[in-house]
Amino acid sequence: MANQAAKKTDARTKEFRSKFGWALLIVVLFHALVRFVVFKSSWERTHTYAFAGGVVALWVSYKTILGHIESGGQMYDKGAGLVELSVDTLYIVAFATVLGSVWGNAWWFTVLVPMIIVYKYGG
């Protein structure tokens, strides 16, 4: 039984890595290519800071979810606390990164992350 559970967990980890790992890499590379090569005339220092912060938020969310899956959990476990918040953060920051490729003010969508924390855990 333990071997079967380990195989299931390993399969979920591989699936998560293959789907989200490549998707996040493509999102980040797409943004870097479009914003820093195509729209380089409208580049500002704040874009670099927002991009770096977004990449860090994506990486931390990805690692949190991956650690939960490797310990036997599932990505969409209800009531998983930090994992549930990491999934929301992953989607919001990825959306802001793609939208930020063509619109400089899209990074304001990342303000939704603290609002979601207050909404879900604020009482």
Side-chain angles (χ1 to χ4, degrees), residues 9 12-13 16 64-75:
T9 301
R12 282 196 304 252
T13 302
F16 176 76
T64 302
I65 297 167
L66 186 62
H68 179 70
I69 290 173
E70 287 176 343
S71 67
Q74 293 185 4
M75 184 170 170

Side-chain angles (χ1 to χ4, degrees), residues 24 27-28 31 46-62 89-90 92-97 107 110 113:
L24 293 179
V27 163
V28 169
H31 176 81
T46 56
H47 293 139
T48 304
Y49 297 146
F51 177 67
V55 169
V56 169
L58 286 171
W59 183 78
V60 168
S61 298
Y62 177 78
T89 304
L90 190 76
I92 290 170
V93 174
F95 173 73
T97 302
W107 294 105
T110 57
V113 174

Side-chain angles (χ1 to χ4, degrees), residues 3-79:
N3 192 19
Q4 185 180 13
K7 285 182 182 179
K8 223 179 201 182
T9 301
D10 192 40
R12 282 196 304 252
T13 302
K14 284 181 183 176
E15 180 184 6
F16 176 76
R17 282 186 180 184
S18 67
K19 285 183 181 178
F20 283 91
W22 283 109
L24 293 179
L25 182 65
I26 289 169
V27 163
V28 169
L29 290 177
F30 174 77
H31 176 81
L33 178 70
V34 171
R35 178 51 81 182
F36 299 127
V37 175
V38 177
F39 292 120
K40 68 180 176 183
S41 63
S42 66
W43 174 82
E44 296 177 12
R45 184 177 299 162
T46 56
H47 293 139
T48 304
Y49 297 146
F51 177 67
V55 169
V56 169
L58 286 171
W59 183 78
V60 168
S61 298
Y62 177 78
K63 285 297 193 180
T64 302
I65 297 167
L66 186 62
H68 179 70
I69 290 173
E70 287 176 343
S71 67
Q74 293 185 4
M75 184 170 170
Y76 297 108
D77 284 346
K78 293 294 178 190

